[in-house]
Amino acid sequence: MRIDQALERSVRALGGVWDTQRAVTALHAAGRHDGDQRQQDKRARYALRKLAANGLLAKIQDRPVQYRATGK
């Protein structure tokens, strides 16, 4: 399973507001926690951007970046 797919499952199940740390935690719970903290953060941000591009998340804040689940 790809990282964005693993995160998508968590977003759909939990909804709410998502930031890098919450995404890293969700990916860790899904067994996707290889690499150091910097690499995990980078993968989480990539997955968040991809889900936002697909319409599942909407950006609500730039710095620090936060997204809200859209329910789609």
Side-chain angles (χ1 to χ4, degrees):
M1 177 181 339
R2 295 185 332 236
I3 288 176
D4 56 313
Q5 291 172 326
L7 186 58
E8 180 179 354
R9 286 183 178 183
S10 294
V11 169
R12 288 189 186 281
L14 302 171
V17 175
W18 288 82
D19 60 9
T20 302
Q21 187 55 49
R22 186 173 184 198
V24 167
T25 301
L27 289 170
H28 191 279
R32 302 300 308 249
H33 51 84
D34 359 334
D36 64 17
Q37 187 64 45
R38 183 174 173 263
Q39 292 169 323
Q40 291 177 35
D41 288 352
K42 192 173 185 177
R43 280 192 298 273
R45 287 190 302 271
Y46 164 80
L48 288 167
R49 286 191 303 270
K50 192 160 183 180
L51 294 180
N54 291 336
L56 183 62
L57 293 172
K59 190 185 247 186
I60 58 172
Q61 183 175 311
D62 280 330
R63 294 194 187 249
V65 175
Q66 290 185 331
Y67 297 88
R68 179 175 307 281
T70 62
K72 291 185 177 182

